[in-house]
Each structure stands twice: as C-alpha cells, then as structure tokens.
Amino acid sequence: MTQNKLVIRPALPEDAAGIAALEKQCFSAPWSEQAVAAELAADGAVFLTAWCGAALSGYAGYRAVCGEGYLGNVAVAPALRRRGVGRALMEALILQAERQNLAFLTLEVRRSNHAAIALYSGLGFRQAGVRPGYYTAPKEDALLLTLYFNGEEGNG
C-alpha cells in the first residue's frame, strides 16, 4: 500500500460486485451481490469504500434510523489488514455519523475477534451488551459495542 495512497469514497451502485467478492473473502456468511446492492440503495444507508489504486481494499457502512446508526459489515481485504484501512474507514464513518447528528453508532462483533475489538475500542466504542449465539458458522456470541455522541450514553 506504500506505492498507492488509500482513498476513501462513498460506495457506488457499480461497487456491489466488488463488495460481494470481498464479502466472500472475509465472512462465513457473505452477502450476495444482490443483497449488497439492496443495502447500498436502502433508505438511510451510508456506505464507504477504501481503494488502493484500482483495487477495492475494504468497505464499511451503517444505516441511520431515527437518529441512530447501526453498522453492518466492516471488511478489509485479508492481504491489507493491520495497515490502517479499517481505521480509515471507521474514522470516516464516525465523521459522517457526527455530521448527521446521530445519537450513537452501534455494531456487533464476534467475541473472538480481538483485532476488531481493539480497533473499535481505540475509536471510543464501549461494550453495551452481549448477544448470545448471534453468529453461526461457527456459532459464537457477539459483543454489542456502541459509540455515543454528545454524552448520550444510557439515555437511549
């Protein structure tokens, strides 16, 4: 990634195939291209992509519902992990959520995904609960992590 600058931009409808391919690399239950396209077009959807040159390096997104932000998947190409792509995507999403005056952003993460938990914690997310058996293939609990804006923690 040192030769090409990382560029973060809004996801476009034509990015759906690349995002779906990245999903297959990253998740045991990946979204299909049709599901990705539907998410990108959904009301309140904010999805960003990360590009290193012409290569899709990652993506992340949330849906804004009633002034609250619910993060879906955050994915980084396996070869580019631990190089700042996920942090750049999350920082851009957090900025967007603040611009939308959302009360919070929240997400689920596998209890065993220590790298992601460290990333989210470093960005200010705090554990708000546990969802037992949330994930399948393999079955695992999810930690519910939330980043509150404007001191709103516990007022939701």
Side-chain angles (χ1 to χ4, degrees), residues 12 17 23 50 56 155:
L12 304 172
E23 282 270 320
L56 177 62
N155 295 336

Side-chain angles (χ1 to χ4, degrees), residues 83-125:
R83 295 189 185 181
V85 176
R87 177 171 288 280
L89 282 164
M90 289 301 300
E91 287 174 346
L93 278 180
I94 290 167
L95 183 60
Q96 181 63 33
E98 289 175 322
R99 287 180 181 149
Q100 286 185 281
N101 293 314
L102 298 184
F104 60 79
L105 283 175
T106 193
L107 60 90
E108 291 90 2
V109 61
R110 284 184 180 273
R111 185 184 291 271
S112 64
N113 192 343
H114 302 295
I117 293 166
L119 169 66
Y120 301 137
S121 296
L123 291 168
F125 285 78

Side-chain angles (χ1 to χ4, degrees), residues 46-63:
V46 175
F47 280 83
L48 301 177
T49 54
W51 297 84
C52 185
L56 177 62
S57 302
Y59 89 95
Y62 67 83
R63 280 204 203 188

